Amino acid sequence: MNEFDRSEFSELERGTSGLSMADLRLLVELVIPARAGTADPEPAELAGFLAGVLTRDRPDWADRVARLASEADTAYGLRQHPDGDWLADLLWSGYYASPRSWPSVSWHPDPVGGWGDPVADAPIPVTPPSGLAGYYDTVIVGTGAGGGAASEILAASGRRVLIVELGGQPDHAATSDPLRNPRATAGLPGPTDPATAGRPRVSEHSGQLRVVLPPDGPYGNNAFAVGGGTRVYGAQAWRFGPDDFTMATRYGVPDGSDLADWPIGYADLEPFYEAAEHRFGVSGDVACDPWVSRSGPLPMPPLPRTRSGDLLAAAAARLGWGTVAPPLLLNSVDRDGRRACVRCPRCVGFGCPVEAKAGTHNTALPAAVAHGATLCTGTTVERLVVENGRVTGVALAAERDGRIWRGTVGTGEVVLAAGAIETARLLLLSDVGTVHGQVGRRLQGHVYSGALGVFAEPVQDLAGPGVSVGTCDFRHGNDGFIGGGMLADDFVPTPQLSYAYLTGAGLLDRFAGDLPAQMASLAPRMLRVVGPIQEVTSAQSRVSLDPAVTDRFGNAVARLSGSIHEEDRRIQRRQSERAAEWLAEAGAVRVAVAAEFPPGVPSSGMHQAGTCRMGTDPSRSVTDPWGRVWGHDNVRVVDGSLHVTNGGVNPVLTILAGALRIAADMTGR
Ligand SMILES: Cc1cc2nc3c(=O)[nH]c(=O)nc-3n(C[C@H](O)[C@H](O)[C@H](O)COP(=O)(O)OP(=O)(O)OC[C@H]3O[C@@H](n4cnc5c(N)ncnc54)[C@H](O)[C@@H]3O)c2cc1C
Ligand code: SF4
C-alpha cells in the first residue's frame, strides 16, 4: 500500500467533494479502531490509502465518501448507512493489502521453497500504430486465448499478419498488486483494465440502467492486455466432454431458454484439445473424469496436492466420489524454455513471476512475431471497414499523450478475438453479420456454485496455485437437473480475499471490534470448494450497443442485459449443497453455501462466451461451424464468443482448441 502522500491530500482538498484528511481519518477510525502495541496498519496510513483511492483510482467515489462523512459520525451511524458496508469493505481491503497485516493472518507472498533465479520481464517487440504498413494479409483483433493461439499458425503459414491489441504488457511488478487485479473485490482498477474512465459499459439490472467502469462487478471484465485473460488467469484447463456439445439433444430445451447443440461434436475438437494441451503445456491427472475420453495423457504430471487437498481427497473417497488432479496450464516441470511452478500463493489474478503459467503472451504470440507477425499494442480496432459489402480493412484508434490517433489498414481477412463482449460490440459497431439480429445474444459467463468451510485446525499451507483436487462426477447425470459442473478446491486466497469470502459468507462481522483477531483465527482455517455450472442460455441475455453512452473514441459502449434462467439457479443450489457436503465430510466445523446468483442480471465476466455462437442456420447463429461470420467469408471469429454452451468447467482450453481448429482450416493444415 502507498504511504500517505501530501499531493493526494492537496488534490483532494481542491476537489469538489469537500473532503479533508481529517474526515477520512475519522471514517477510518469508525471502522478500524487503532490497536496500540500491534504492527497493524495505522489510521493515518489507511486514511492515506483512502485518499489515494479517491484521487487516483476512483475519483468517481469521492462524492459517495463525502456523503458518508457528513451523514455518519458514529460507528453505529456508519453501520446503518446504506454505504456503510461498502466503505468498511474498502477500508479492510486496504488494511489486508498492507504487508504489515499479513503476519497476523499467517500469510506471506513467497513460495515455501523460495523463488529461485529471478525471471526477467520479456516484452514482445511491438510496432506503434503510426509505423504500420497500409495492408496486411490478415488482421487479428485481440491477443487473448483465441487470438493468441490463432496468431502463431497464421503467421507460420507465410501470411503477413498484423495483431492489434488495445492493452499493453504490464510487467511482473505491476501484476502483483493484491488490490489492483481482476480477482480482487475492492473495485480498484488494475494494470489489465482498460483506462477506467474512458471505457465504460452500461449494465441493466432488472430494467435499471447503470454506467459501470472496468473494476465494477457488473462490467463483466476479463483482462485487457497482451495475452488477454491468459496473462493473469488461474489456468484451469478443462476439456468439455461429448455431452457438453449436445446439451439440447440430451436434456431438451426448457421454456425461455435458447439451448442448442453445437454444430460440431467432441470428436471434431479432440485432436485440437490434444494439440492445445501439448502446445501450451498442461499438467494434472484427469484419468478419473467419467465424462471425457482422451486419446492420450496430459503432457506433465500434477503438482503435489495441498494440505487441504489431501483432506478433500480422503473425504471424496469416503463419499464414494471420484477425484482428479485438475488440469492446469502451468509447468509442473521445466518445459518449453519456461520454469516449473514454484508454488507461490498469488496465482489467479496475478502475472506469474517465473513465467511457469502459460499464457499466449509467453508462448504463441512471441512465436508469431518470430514468424514475422507485427504486434501493435495500446491500439483499438474501432470498426471493420466494409466496401461493397465486403470487409476490406480495419479502422484503428489510439491515444498517445492525451491526443487521439486514427488510421486505417487494409486487409484480405479479419480474425476476431476481442472476447465475447467486445467481439460482439465490434460487429455491431461495424454492422457486419447483423442481418439476422443474432450478434450479441446468448451472453453467458459462468454462474459459480460453492461453499466455504471453516476447520478446527489450519488447512491453508499457502502452496500455490491452491487448486489441487476436483471431482467431475457431477458434470452431468444429476437427476432432474440440466447439466451440472465440476467442483474443486479454490486458489490460495490473499488476505483481502479471505476477508471478502468470510464477510460474504456471514462468518465475519465487518464492524466487529475484534475483527483482526477473528481474521487471525479464521483465515488459515478457511477453505472454499467452488465450480462453474453450465448455463442453459437465453437469447435475452445479450450485448447490445447503448444508445446514449460512448467511449473515449466516441463509439457506443456495450450494454449488458438479460437474466440467467431459473434452471441455472436450481443447479447452482444443488452444486453448492454438494460442495458443502464435501467440506463437512472433510472435517469443516462450520459451512456456508455460496449466495445465489441474482435474477435480472446476465452472467458475464471472466468466462464470458456465446455472443456470436456457431451454427448451421444463419437465422439462429452468427457464424458457420468454422467461425466464418455468415455473409462475410473473410471474417472469422476465434474467441469464446463462438461457444454455443459454455460447459460445466472453465472454458479456456476449449477456446484455445477451437482457435487452433479454425486456424488450421484457414491455412489448410
Ligand atoms: C482472473 C482470471 C482468472 C481466470 N481463470 C481461468 C481459469 O482458471 N480457466 C479458464 O478456463 N479460464 C479462466 N479465465 C478466463 C479466460 O482467461 C478466458 O476465458 C479467455 O482468456 C477468453 O479468451 P478470449 O480469446 O475469448 O478473450 P480474451 O482472453 O479476453 O482476449 C481478448 C483480447 O482482446 C482485446 N481487445 C478487446 N477489444 C479490442 C479491440 N476493439 N481492439 C483490439 N483489441 C481488443 C482485449 O484487450 C483482450 O486482450 C480467467 C480469467 C481471469 C481474468
Ligand atoms: S503458483 Fe502460479 S503464479 Fe505462482 S509460480 Fe506457480 S504458476 Fe506462477
Side-chain angles (χ1 to χ4, degrees):
M1 174 166 41
N2 297 300
E3 294 295 325
F4 165 57
D5 163 355
R6 283 288 338 151
S7 61
E8 283 163 5
F9 178 32
S10 320
E11 262 187 63
L12 200 63
E13 284 203 319
R14 278 198 301 273
T16 53
S17 62
L19 279 167
S20 69
M21 278 309 284
D23 295 327
L24 300 189
R25 189 169 170 148
L26 185 66
L27 284 172
V28 168
E29 285 170 354
L30 294 181
V31 178
I32 306 178
R35 293 197 308 153
T38 70
D40 297 357
E42 287 161 7
E45 184 182 344
L46 293 167
F49 160 74
L50 187 53
V53 165
L54 299 183
T55 51
R56 256 199 325 268
D57 294 307
R58 295 299 301 252
D60 56 311
W61 286 350
D63 288 342
R64 197 171 172 190
V65 174
R67 262 197 313 278
L68 263 168
S70 68
E71 292 168 10
D73 55 3
T74 62
Y76 179 79
L78 191 65
R79 191 181 190 127
Q80 299 304 313
H81 196 281
D83 275 339
D85 286 1
W86 166 75
L87 183 77
D89 287 348
L90 179 61
L91 291 175
W92 283 118
S93 292
Y95 182 99
Y96 282 113
S98 167
R100 291 207 280 124
S101 71
W102 295 346
S104 75
V105 285
S106 311
W107 197 88
H108 56 77
D110 299 318
V112 177
W115 289 103
D117 292 338
V119 173
D121 287 295
I124 307 170
V126 298
T127 302
S130 53
L132 297 178
Y135 181 88
Y136 292 84
D137 299 325
T138 308
V139 174
I140 301 176
V141 186
T143 60
S151 70
E152 181 179 8
I153 296 175
L154 295 173
S157 75
R159 286 167 163 79
R160 230 178 140 206
V161 175
L162 169 64
I163 312 164
V164 187
E165 167 57 54
L166 72 78
Q169 304 191 66
D171 60 19
H172 294 145
T175 53
S176 67
D177 189 315
L179 278 189
R180 293 166 184 81
N181 71 71
R183 202 75 190 301
T185 55
L188 306 184
T192 57
D193 286 335
T196 299
R199 289 189 189 270
R201 285 179 182 157
V202 172
S203 157
E204 190 175 322
H205 189 152
S206 302
Q208 300 286 316
L209 298 178
R210 207 175 114 207
V211 176
V212 287
L213 300 180
D216 296 330
Y219 188 89
N221 205 357
N222 190 0
F224 293 74
V226 172
T230 71
R231 198 173 188 101
V232 290
Y233 64 176
Q236 293 195 45
W238 302 90
R239 292 183 179 197
F240 292 0
D243 292 321
D244 298 323
F245 293 89
T246 56
M247 289 290 288
T249 299
R250 171 153 186 175
Y251 293 101
V253 180
D255 284 351
S257 131
D258 205 24
L259 197 60
D261 292 349
W262 287 55
I264 61 172
Y266 178 72
D268 296 305
L269 212 52
E270 205 280 338
F272 298 96
Y273 274 131
E274 180 90 356
E277 287 165 349
H278 285 264
R279 169 62 187 101
F280 297 99
V282 177
S283 55
D285 181 1
V286 282
C288 289
D289 183 345
W291 305 103
V292 177
S293 57
R294 314 172 47 86
S295 55
L298 292 173
M300 284 180 282
L303 291 167
R305 260 202 314 249
T306 59
R307 185 189 303 167
S308 51
D310 283 341
L311 288 176
L312 287 171
R318 289 194 295 276
L319 290 166
W321 299 357
T323 53
V324 300
L328 297 165
L329 278 148
L330 57 82
N331 284 356
S332 58
V333 293
D334 290 355
R335 183 178 189 272
D336 197 22
R338 292 181 296 106
R339 285 179 50 187
C341 168
V342 291
R343 315 200 66 197
C344 78
R346 282 202 293 216
C347 195
V348 68
F350 298 96
C352 176
V354 299
E355 302 292 349
K357 184 156 67 170
T360 52
H361 64 290
N362 59 15
T363 54
L365 286 164
V369 170
H371 283 301
T374 300
L375 174 63
C376 176
T377 58
T379 301
T380 299
V381 174
E382 57 174 349
R383 273 198 181 56
L384 307 186
V385 177
V386 185
E387 288 172 310
N388 301 320
R390 185 170 177 80
V391 172
T392 57
V394 291
L396 306 176
E399 192 173 358
R400 295 281 186 278
D401 305 322
R403 299 174 62 174
I404 290 179
W405 172 95
R406 281 199 150 91
T408 302
V409 165
T411 186
E413 61 188 2
V414 175
V415 175
L416 294 175
I421 294 174
E422 292 301 322
T423 287
R425 175 178 172 231
L426 186 53
L427 285 172
L428 291 167
L429 283 169
S430 312
D431 200 13
V432 165
T434 52
V435 178
H436 298 283
Q438 298 298 300
V439 173
R441 293 187 180 275
R442 309 170 192 94
L443 172 65
Q444 343 158 27
H446 259 147
V447 167
Y448 258 70
S449 61
L452 182 155
V454 176
F455 291 72
E457 301 294 330
V459 286
Q460 291 286 350
D461 59 8
L462 304 189
V467 180
S468 77
V469 63
T471 181
C472 293
D473 286 13
F474 311 112
R475 287 180 64 167
H476 291 278
N478 300 300
D479 265 357
F481 292 89
I482 297 180
M486 70 84 191
L487 289 168
D489 47 357
D490 199 7
F491 295 90
V492 178
T494 59
Q496 188 269 329
L497 279 178
S498 294
Y499 164 85
Y501 296 151
L502 286 163
T503 47
L507 299 177
L508 189 65
D509 175 0
R510 41 176 78 74
F511 291 103
D514 64 343
L515 188 144
Q518 288 194 46
M519 267 288 284
S521 161
L522 288 171
R525 296 189 292 122
M526 181 203 92
L527 176 65
R528 295 200 328 152
V529 164
V530 296
I533 57 106
Q534 175 142 217
E535 296 164 25
V536 300
T537 81
S538 139
Q540 291 3 309
S541 283
R542 65 187 294 196
V543 175
S544 55
L545 296 180
D546 190 85
V549 181
T550 55
D551 69 6
R552 183 78 190 90
F553 303 120
N555 296 311
V557 303
R559 178 190 285 188
L560 311 184
S561 54
S563 180
I564 64 164
H565 196 277
E566 189 48 37
E567 286 296 330
D568 302 333
R569 250 186 296 281
R570 286 183 64 233
I571 189 69
Q572 184 203 16
R573 282 195 291 271
R574 182 72 191 99
Q575 288 292 88
S576 295
E577 285 162 13
R578 284 206 173 101
E581 185 184 355
W582 197 3
L583 285 161
E585 181 62 36
V589 289
R590 294 175 75 182
V591 178
V593 296
E596 273 184 34
F597 194 88
V601 258
S603 96
S604 57
M606 295 166 188
H607 293 184
Q608 59 190 253
T611 54
C612 302
R613 79 176 180 187
M614 53 164 66
T616 51
D617 175 356
S619 70
R620 298 199 60 220
S621 56
V622 175
T623 81
D624 74 6
W626 296 99
R628 259 185 231 100
V629 174
W630 293 115
H632 294 271
D633 63 2
N634 66 341
V635 181
R636 304 262 194 155
V637 178
V638 298
D639 61 15
S641 316
L642 291 174
H643 290 193
V644 178
T645 45
N646 210 21
V649 291
N650 309 49
V652 81
L653 194 76
T654 303
I655 300 173
L656 292 168
L660 294 183
R661 173 179 169 270
I662 292 171
D665 179 59
M666 291 172 75
T667 55
R669 291 174 174 207

